[in-house]
């Protein structure tokens, strides 16, 4: 479904990814693990077509995603509808005057539904995310957890095929975190979740990608196998150095 | 010491430029500034020049040009000279400022005053945070946008950005002030 072939990406003269390749199949629940600065957000933005690699190929369902192809209105609309991204800071995704308008934004952009149908969809997703009583409120007045839910509702209302989530549990309490995990598993959607929370990896997905601090993909496979070998955590700079000794002992 | 000297030179040059009204002298000053830019040991000279031109264009040229048009429409030809003088002066001052910022370590230049260093820290911290946030805002809009951005969407987006950054700057400044205070920076 998603394939990166030999991606090279640099930012401000600093190389982030060198010859990075990976494949994500339809229905995969992928967790992207790595220390701060490993390039998790950059990788998600590349997969969302927001950052363009200097070299290499990005294929989504066999179609090459690059600046040129995204200039094509039909491809852009199709891709933006199918591959959506939840940003780490929900505030940056919200700009409409009311919660209702925020959820309706994507559907209105699509231009495929009349207002009556849009209302039905908005009410359905607001109900599902327990936001119905907030529909007339401004998104900026909501709590952190509510904003996160609203952002998800805005994305899922489009019925996307791939959901990219950047540290989705970073600002959530444990109750909302578990609500989110259950929600993600209840949906038939391909997910790629960036996190540095080791405790949640096995709950968030069934496939693990690990980036180390040099932005290299050092592991791709089953999460359990990765965690069985504690040396992997040190290799990925996920465990603090002090633990290297205890592992050696 | 080098940075403090550069700060002094910058301030004096700024005062000098702001008093200049002779177009020929202003032209020569701009030429020397461009010459300095060309020979100065700095990276991305073209980028610096672009930034200077863009800022000058946005904040001086566009505004003064509309005044010039008003003047010309009322038959007053003297406005052209004034227009040239204001814009040459403005360009010189902008380029000088960008050059100064590129070649000077502002923290070292202002370390004689705790208050100025404090202000600089707040400003830098805000600029870096805002830069990252602004990029994220734009990326998020691009990610959610499935067609041409309508005028209504742009308007709502800009309104939201302005309000967000205003609130954020008040909040961040308060936070930074408290942090600095807790580290014993402020005496009050």
């Amino acid at each position: 479904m998603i394939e990166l072939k030999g991606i090279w990406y640099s930012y401000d003269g600093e190389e982030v990814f060198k010859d990075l390749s990976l494949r994500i199949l339809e229905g995969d629940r992928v967790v992207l693990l790595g220390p701060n600065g490993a390039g998790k957000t950059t990788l998600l933005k590349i997969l969302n077509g927001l950052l363009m690699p200097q070299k290499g190929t990005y294929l989504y369902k066999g179609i090459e995603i690059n600046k040129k192809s995204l200039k094509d209105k039909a491809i852009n609309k199709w891709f933006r509808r199918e591959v959506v991204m939840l940003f780490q800071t929900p505030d940056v995704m919200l700009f409409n005057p009311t919660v209702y308008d925020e959820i309706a934004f994507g559907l209105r952009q699509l231009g495929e539904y009349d207002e009556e149908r849009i209302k039905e969809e908005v009410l359905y997703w607001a109900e599902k995310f327990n936001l119905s009583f907030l529909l007339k409120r401004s998104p900026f007045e909501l709590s952190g957890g509510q904003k996160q839910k609203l952002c998800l509702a805005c994305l899922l209302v489009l019925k996307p095929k791939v959901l990219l989530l950047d540290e989705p549990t970073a600002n959530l309490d444990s109750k909302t975190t578990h609500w989110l995990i259950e929600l993600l598993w209840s949906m038939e959607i391909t997910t790629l979740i960036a996190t540095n929370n080791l405790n949640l990896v096995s709950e968030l997905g069934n496939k693990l990608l690990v980036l180390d601090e040099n932005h290299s993909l050092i592991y791709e496979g089953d999460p359990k196998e990765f965690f069985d070998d504690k040396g992997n955590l040190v290799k990925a700079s996920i465990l603090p150095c002090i633990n290297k000794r205890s592992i050696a002992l | 010491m080098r940075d403090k000297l550069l700060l002094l030179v910058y301030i004096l040059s700024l005062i000098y430029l702001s008093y200049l009204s002779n177009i020929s002298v202003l032209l020569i000053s701009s030429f020397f500034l461009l010459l300095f830019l060309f020979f100065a040991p700095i990276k991305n000279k073209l980028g610096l020049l672009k930034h200077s031109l863009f800022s000058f264009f946005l904040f001086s040229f566009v505004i003064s040009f509309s005044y010039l048009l008003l003047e010309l429409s009322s038959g007053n030809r003297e406005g052209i000279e004034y227009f040239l003088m204001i814009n040459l002066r403005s360009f010189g001052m902008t380029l000088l400022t960008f050059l100064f910022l590129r070649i000077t370590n502002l923290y070292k230049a202002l370390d004689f005053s705790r208050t100025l260093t404090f202000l600089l820290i707040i400003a830098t911290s805000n600029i870096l945070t805002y830069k990252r946030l602004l990029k994220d805002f734009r990326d998020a809009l691009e990610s959610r946008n499935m067609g041409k951005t309508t005028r209504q969407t742009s308007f709502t987006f800009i309104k939201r950005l302005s309000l967000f950054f205003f609130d954020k700057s008040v909040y961040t400044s308060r936070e930074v002030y408290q942090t600095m205070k807790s580290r014993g920076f402020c005496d009050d």
Side-chain angles (χ1 to χ4, degrees), chain A residues 45 48 50 77 80 87 91-95 102 105-106 109-110 140 154 158, chain B residues 133 135-137 139-148 153 156-157 160 164:
Chain A
K45 285 189 174 180
N48 197 220
L50 297 171
K77 196 170 169 180
R80 294 263 168 252
F87 283 66
D91 276 302
V92 303
M93 295 183 66
L94 307 171
F95 63 94
E102 202 67 70
F105 174 78
Q109 285 265 304
L110 274 179
F140 327 125
C154 295
L158 298 168
Chain B
L133 277 168
K135 175 88 175 65
D136 271 354
F137 263 107
D139 282 347
L141 179 67
E142 191 185 337
S143 173
R144 292 184 66 195
N145 210 2
M146 280 172 288
K148 203 179 167 193
T153 305
T156 318
F157 181 72
R160 161 69 178 146
F164 176 84

Side-chain angles (χ1 to χ4, degrees), chain A residues 2 5 27 29 31 39 48 74 93 96 156 159 182 207 241:
Chain A
I2 286 177
K5 290 181 185 170
R29 310 276 172 161
V31 179
N48 197 220
M93 295 183 66
N96 284 289
L156 295 176
K159 300 180 179 66
E182 278 181 27
K207 183 177 176 181
C241 296

